Amino acid sequence: MHALTFHGGRLDEAARRYPHAPLPWIDLSTGINPLPWHGQAPPVDLHALPSPAALDALARAAAGAFGAPEIALTALPGSEIGLRLLACLDLPRPFHLVAPGYRSHQSALPGATVVRIDTIADLARHGGTLLLANPNNPDGRLLAPEHLRSLARTLAAQGGLLIVDEAFADAVDGASILPLLTPQDRVLVLRSFGKFYGLAGVRLGFACGAADLVARIAELLGSWPVSATALALGTAAYRDGAWQARTRATLIATAARLDRLLAAHGLAPHGDCPLFRLIESEGAASRFERLAHAGILTRPFDYAPDWLRIGLPADDAAFARLDAALGHG
């Protein structure tokens, strides 16, 4: 089961393992918005190199959408790359990361000590680098951004750095630390385009915050950090404030519908991020199998066999299939 517990979205592997599952598969394993942005973007000239002006326009649009026009920012080919580049930044030690969390965080800070969320206030008084996600994955835990800013300033007073992975922050109004930061704050924030905008294949993200670290990441990525397609789609989507507000409201309503469905099957959903829910039960593994045989892919965890993360169904038909599959057995 390793391939299906390492990352979500591996429909090819699921289809190989469950060849008799009904088609089409419903992918609830990723936490990606099932209702993607579909607005108008300008035509993309794939013959020409992406222009600096287009990159600047994307940065301005993203900074506006993040509510942080004065904070340093650089585009990434996906926030995963931002995590991979942390090893190149000579970050202050010791390293700590919060668990449960993203598996890729452990690769981003080799040798980091894994800590619980309730210990981070004490850790901050000793400096070093602390990496956490907010909203968190897979449990959907959400920390107040004011609390994180205070934590960051305690760390900075000891020469330390707070790194916040905000891959899911666009989906939760008021979740981001970015609008609270000044250019002097020692915070590095990673943002993802694909999850909230539902366009994960575009591979677009951002590193924001401490100007020296953002500049070093930009230097490492070079003159053309993202594709012309990412520039065009990202700029248009980040400028679409009406879609953003409407979609946040829709996600909240859809998550509430999912909560009701899960509760009707005796399951208690957890999480403050509307893009997914975590359930914990002794029957999680058998439920994963049952759903997979019904052509519905969810996200199991090898380190927590009683957990199952379930993303949002896209429509009534997907809700009906999930309801029926949960009701069998």
Side-chain angles (χ1 to χ4, degrees), residues 44-224:
V44 178
D45 181 1
L46 295 179
H47 178 69
L49 287 168
S51 74
L55 187 60
D56 288 344
L58 170 65
R60 290 194 302 272
F66 300 160
E70 304 303 319
I71 300 301
L73 174 153
T74 192
L76 309 168
S79 58
E80 173 79 4
I81 296 299
L83 287 168
R84 300 292 177 179
L85 291 176
L86 295 180
C88 304
L89 300 184
D90 193 24
L91 300 176
R93 293 178 179 269
F95 296 160
H96 294 93
L97 59 89
V98 174
Y102 289 89
R103 188 190 297 270
S104 52
H105 285 185
Q106 297 183 32
S107 301
L109 292 180
T113 300
V114 178
V115 300
R116 301 188 314 273
I117 192 66
D118 58 1
T119 67
I120 60 176
D122 287 335
L123 286 172
R125 289 192 281 270
H126 300 284
T129 296
L130 175 63
L131 170 60
L132 57 83
N134 198 50
N136 194 44
N137 175 40
D139 60 2
R141 182 205 67 239
L142 182 65
L143 298 176
E146 295 83 1
H147 172 63
L148 290 179
R149 179 181 60 182
S150 175
L151 182 76
R153 291 176 177 175
T154 301
L155 265 169
Q158 302 300 322
L161 174 75
L162 176 65
I163 305 174
V164 186
D165 188 333
E166 291 191 344
F168 289 102
D170 285 298
V172 185
D173 195 25
S176 177
I177 193 176
L178 283 171
L180 305 182
L181 297 181
T182 70
Q184 289 72 44
D185 281 308
R186 298 300 294 168
V187 179
L188 185 65
V189 178
L190 299 175
R191 294 291 288 247
S192 169
F193 174 74
K195 290 181 174 61
F196 175 65
Y197 292 91
L199 300 172
V202 173
R203 305 312 304 143
L204 177 61
F206 294 87
C208 321
D212 58 323
L213 299 178
V214 170
R216 176 59 178 149
I217 290 171
E219 179 185 21
L220 289 168
L221 289 173
S223 299
W224 303 285

Side-chain angles (χ1 to χ4, degrees), residues 272-287:
D272 296 316
C273 179
L275 285 169
F276 57 86
R277 289 292 188 258
L278 184 73
I279 60 172
E280 183 175 1
S281 75
E282 292 181 358
S286 61
R287 284 193 177 89

